[in-house]
Amino acid sequence: PPSPPPSPPHPPPKGSQKSLKLLLAKSFVEVGPAAGVCSVVDEGQCDELWGVSKEKCVLTCVQDCKCTGFDYGFDATRARCRICSSTIVGTEASILDAAVCYDRTAGCLDLP
């Protein structure tokens, strides 16, 4: 017999979204006034992670003591997260949709 179709991915639990917003509010400030990807000093270092959730992006930065901030946006097919380790000086236009840059305001956190 044919195998059953794969089940659709489950959305994250509502509590997860709430804790993500709380973590963002406590540890980061959105860089503006214009939306866009992070602009860093001296063409500094930002590592790209493709196809990850915004929650994964936030947690990756929080757990990395060298992370100064991150940006998150989408191209036509997937999400992109950039974890930056250089000073963020503003935003710049991007080909990514809905790109937002977050500057880290809190120090390094010890998370499980």
Side-chain angles (χ1 to χ4, degrees):
S3 59
S7 61
H10 297 288
K14 286 200 182 330
S16 170
Q17 287 297 319
K18 190 173 182 181
S19 62
L20 174 63
K21 285 184 179 170
L22 188 62
L23 187 58
L24 264 176
K26 282 186 165 190
S27 304
F28 299 93
V29 61
E30 191 172 321
V31 179
V37 296
C38 297
S39 176
V40 293
V41 295
D42 302 326
E43 300 298 314
Q45 179 66 36
C46 293
D47 295 324
E48 293 186 359
L49 304 172
W50 286 91
V52 299
S53 68
K54 187 173 187 179
E55 183 173 27
K56 173 75 173 164
C57 192
V58 171
L59 290 174
T60 300
C61 183
V62 166
Q63 292 171 335
D64 180 354
C65 292
K66 294 187 299 286
C67 180
T68 57
F70 70 94
D71 57 45
Y72 191 80
F74 302 86
D75 71 4
T77 57
R78 57 194 175 149
R80 185 194 77 181
C81 163
R82 280 194 326 153
I83 301 295
C84 298
S85 55
S86 299
T87 303
I88 294 170
V89 294
T91 59
E92 55 191 60
S94 170
I95 59 167
L96 297 178
D97 293 327
V100 180
C101 174
Y102 294 92
D103 195 8
R104 186 173 190 162
T105 56
C108 197
L109 302 176
D110 292 321
L111 292 178

